[in-house]
Amino acid sequence: MPRPRRALAVTSSLLLAASGVLLAVAPSASAATCPHYRVTNIQGAKAEYRLACNGGKLRVYGWVKDTRAEGDFAVLHIYAGNGASRSVFASGWGVVEHFDYTFARTRSAEIRLSLDN
């Protein structure tokens, strides 16, 4: 017998798929602090990013790649510790988007890789 959380997750996924809005998100990300380096991937997307701090500013830089020809695009969402956010989109199979963002007055960020359409 499935656990209640698993049943709720399956039901939610089916409702999203039925509505035509499918969003695949990597496992819940936790806030990372400087210095930090990570390569992450989900089916259809891959990303590499670094966090570096200098003088009270956070620099987040790297790349995101769409790795599957299914019509969705790869998205890397960056939520800085100061409340600011940015997103990087790689739309199209094989497309790689490089990024380099600086956020003032923070040393941490939560970063999530997903697919969107």
Side-chain angles (χ1 to χ4, degrees):
M1 178 174 208
R3 292 186 279 177
R5 283 186 181 168
R6 187 172 288 162
L8 180 59
V10 170
T11 302
S12 298
S13 297
L14 291 173
L15 289 173
L16 283 173
S19 69
V21 177
L22 180 58
L23 182 67
V25 178
S28 195
S30 60
T33 58
C34 296
H36 187 78
Y37 168 78
R38 180 146 189 213
V39 175
T40 185
N41 61 58
I42 59 173
Q43 285 190 340
K46 185 173 184 178
E48 177 180 346
Y49 60 88
R50 294 177 189 273
L51 277 67
C53 293
N54 188 11
K57 294 180 182 177
L58 169 68
R59 180 180 175 212
V60 182
Y61 61 100
W63 54 265
V64 61
K65 180 178 182 178
D66 186 333
T67 62
R68 196 166 59 184
E70 80 294 74
D72 293 335
F73 50 90
V75 184
L76 190 73
H77 300 284
I78 304 165
Y79 304 98
N82 65 1
S85 64
R86 298 293 297 259
S87 296
V88 184
F89 302 89
S91 55
W93 179 42
V95 171
V96 177
E97 288 294 329
H98 293 269
F99 62 92
D100 191 341
Y101 300 124
T102 301
F103 301 93
R105 300 177 312 278
T106 188
R107 296 182 53 83
S108 66
E110 184 175 320
I111 302 176
R112 296 181 182 194
L113 179 62
S114 65
L115 293 177
D116 205 342
N117 53 10

